[in-house]
Amino acid sequence: MATEPVSVRALADATPAARDRYADLLRVLSLGVVVLGHWLMAVVVVSDDGAREVGNLLAVVPALQVLTWVLQIMPVFFFVGGFAHALSYRSLARRAPGRSVYADFLRARLQRLLRPTMVFLLVWAALALVIQAAGGGDGLTGVALRLVTQPLWFIGIYLAMVAFTPPLLRLHERHGWAVFGALVAAAVAVDTARFAAGLPYAEFLNFAFVWLAIHQLGFLRADGRITRPGVLAAVGLVAAAALVALGPYPFSMVGMPGEKVSNMAPPTVALLAHGLWLIGAAEALRGPGTRLAGRARVWRGVIAANGIAMTAFLWHLTALLAVYGVLLGAGAALPEPASGAWWAQTPVRLAAAAVVGTVLVAVFRRFERPATPATPATTTGTGTGGPVAAAGITLCLLGVLGISMVGYDDLLEGKSATLIAIPVTAPAALAAALVGWLLVERAGRAGRASRRTARPSLSDRAGARVPWHRASPRCRQSPMAPCA
């Protein structure tokens, strides 16, 4: 049965008073900061041999790296993700007591994530094949084919967080803060093995330990157990400053070209401390943030932005690179990065990227809407499909991370990169991601089929437009996916 579109105003008017709107606001703001940061950081520079390359503004002007201590906002996004995942999984479990809801949980959480991601990967793979088959792909074009996939590491990490939510949530319900402490201790042990013992490949473990520790804080928020956010912020800030000043950690909280150690890839304990400071600060501002999100115009903006957030994130670098491509193709003189002329041109460049990005979102946003409303599990479902879903999300995780590392440049020549000691090529990674996505969809199909003949409720029709928001009174807090 076709779903009926519901306006943003109608969704806003149907929002339950008890919904945690501040969490939704944090999600929008964090992704917005990431997009704006990438648009500002990407600059075209001239190398020593006269070739034009895409560089990083923070490397050109190292003094600006201090901004990463505020603008490296991804820990906040993953923190809010943990909060949402805890509420979503518990809701599914309550409605289907005595059976596994793992497959239903994965599909409900990932439907709006995987469809637009797979479309993005396929579109760029096709473009790369056409460009390289025609003899192109050199210079800035090759750089673009490599850069557009780099932000996909975020998707891979998010997939891991969703996959590990059920077991880590059970541990959280038994041990509370001790689980977070164990993950922090594991991250410290990994950095010790990396820097003190030189243990090869040990650092890759912190892709799990650091980000899952941040995610675990979201579980604690869901239970109202972060009661002193100011202390959390202070401890995190002091720890991050001490680690950077005394340890082997760089000052920047994002990766810098050519640096031997990055706080981001793989993540370090310094980045974990930075995350604590940002999360504590965000929670300390919860009161005024909640009042801001409660304003009608602000809340409607949050709903609209959340409805296109993943599409905008996936295509934002494409938009910026398109602007640079047009400027260079037209023979425009690009000013020296960080010069007065460069800063004067920045608003125009950002506006142009926003226009191109808006067009891309208009074209591809349809894939962010699930083909069917991602309704929660019911007691009529079979509860099977957990192993298939686990295999699917594992393949998706490895595939997306692999593509983010290897890129689409030299696609026809079999370029490879090392993913956790395993060489991976772009075609192999893409195939793994696609097969994994199909397995996740298949795992949740039985429960979906059993509900297909049911008439969609108002909340289901609303979910088809902006699936993370449901008009049902039961949907009170979860900010990023259908809740029950």
Side-chain angles (χ1 to χ4, degrees):
M1 180 175 180
T3 57
E4 303 172 11
V6 179
S7 69
V8 169
R9 184 180 292 273
L11 289 170
D13 292 342
T15 303
R19 184 180 179 89
D20 191 335
R21 303 185 188 201
Y22 182 52
D24 298 271
L25 178 62
L26 285 178
R27 178 179 189 253
V28 168
L29 289 178
S30 58
L31 280 183
V33 168
V34 170
V35 170
L36 182 60
H38 286 171
W39 281 356
L40 285 171
M41 285 193 302
V43 296
V44 174
V45 297
V46 179
S47 63
D48 294 337
D49 59 2
R52 285 172 169 171
E53 300 175 348
V54 177
N56 191 320
L57 178 65
L58 300 181
V60 176
V61 188
L64 293 178
Q65 293 178 17
V66 67
L67 297 177
T68 65
W69 285 60
V70 176
L71 301 181
Q72 170 46 286
I73 202 74
M74 290 312 297
V76 174
F77 185 92
F78 291 142
F79 164 68
V80 176
F83 168 75
H85 297 159
L87 296 180
S88 178
Y89 186 81
R90 286 169 171 172
S91 178
L92 287 168
R94 282 196 302 269
R95 297 189 65 190
R99 77 175 186 90
S100 170
V101 295
Y102 187 71
D104 304 85
F105 172 74
L106 289 189
R107 184 175 181 274
R109 299 311 296 179
L110 298 181
Q111 192 177 41
R112 283 186 62 223
L113 178 68
L114 289 180
R115 290 182 77 234
T117 300
M118 296 306 151
V119 169
F120 172 84
L121 291 175
L122 289 172
V123 168
W124 265 108
L127 286 173
L129 286 173
V130 170
I131 290 170
Q132 293 169 28
D138 297 328
L140 285 176
T141 303
V143 173
L145 292 175
R146 182 174 69 253
L147 286 180
V148 291
T149 65
Q150 286 186 359
L152 293 178
W153 71 267
F154 150 78
I155 306 291
I157 297 300
Y158 198 81
L159 288 171
M161 291 177 173
V162 174
F164 281 104
T165 287
L168 287 179
L169 185 58
R170 286 192 290 271
L171 287 174
H172 159 77
E173 289 168 348
R174 288 185 180 183
H175 306 292
W177 277 98
V179 182
F180 169 76
L183 289 168
V184 172
V188 172
V190 167
D191 270 14
T192 301
R194 174 187 181 183
F195 295 116
L199 190 65
Y201 303 115
E203 63 268 24
F204 290 107
L205 292 172
N206 267 351
F207 275 114
F209 295 138
V210 169
W211 290 123
L212 287 176
I214 295 293
H215 189 249
Q216 203 76 14
L217 286 173
F219 297 168
L220 292 161
R221 185 189 196 272
D223 289 346
R225 300 184 68 173
I226 301 179
T227 57
R228 303 181 70 181
V231 173
L232 184 66
V235 169
L237 185 58
V238 170
L243 288 168
V244 167
L246 304 175
Y249 305 101
F251 182 74
S252 174
M253 290 300 162
V254 301
M256 289 290 103
E259 65 184 358
K260 293 182 178 180
V261 176
S262 167
N263 281 321
M264 277 291 296
T268 64
V269 175
L271 183 67
L272 175 55
H274 167 74
L276 300 185
W277 127 249
L278 280 184
I279 290 166
E283 284 295 284
L285 295 171
R286 188 170 181 175
T290 299
R291 290 190 292 272
L292 176 64
R295 297 179 181 177
R297 288 185 179 180
V298 174
W299 181 236
R300 287 196 294 270
V302 169
I303 288 176
N306 265 317
I308 61 171
M310 190 50 55
T311 304
F313 174 81
L314 287 167
W315 292 97
H316 75 280
L317 276 186
T318 303
L320 180 66
L321 291 169
V323 171
Y324 274 130
V326 169
L327 290 174
L328 293 171
L334 295 179
E336 185 72 17
S339 65
W342 187 89
W343 286 111
Q345 188 193 71
T346 295
V348 178
R349 192 172 58 253
L350 294 182
V355 170
V356 177
T358 300
V359 173
L360 290 170
V361 167
V363 172
F364 293 106
R365 66 177 295 179
R366 72 191 68 181
F367 300 106
E368 193 165 348
R369 302 172 189 168
T372 58
T375 51
T378 66
T379 55
T380 62
T382 63
T384 61
V388 174
I393 198 169
T394 300
L395 286 173
C396 281
L397 164 65
L398 295 175
V400 170
L401 284 179
I403 293 174
S404 75
M405 295 182 67
V406 72
Y408 278 147
D409 58 319
D410 296 327
L411 185 62
L412 295 177
E413 298 180 8
K415 176 186 174 183
S416 66
T418 301
L419 174 64
I420 316 177
I422 302 173
V424 61
T425 63
L430 180 60
L434 289 171
V435 171
W437 172 46
L438 293 175
L439 289 177
V440 170
E441 284 291 309
R442 178 183 177 185
R445 195 169 294 164
R448 177 180 60 183
S450 69
R451 298 186 293 271
R452 190 170 291 160
T453 57
R455 179 183 177 86
S457 66
L458 170 62
S459 63
D460 291 333
R461 295 195 297 271
R465 177 71 179 238
V466 185
W468 54 265
H469 177 86
R470 306 299 294 271
S472 166
R474 291 187 297 270
C475 182
R476 301 192 181 279
Q477 292 181 315
S478 179
M480 289 185 289
C483 63

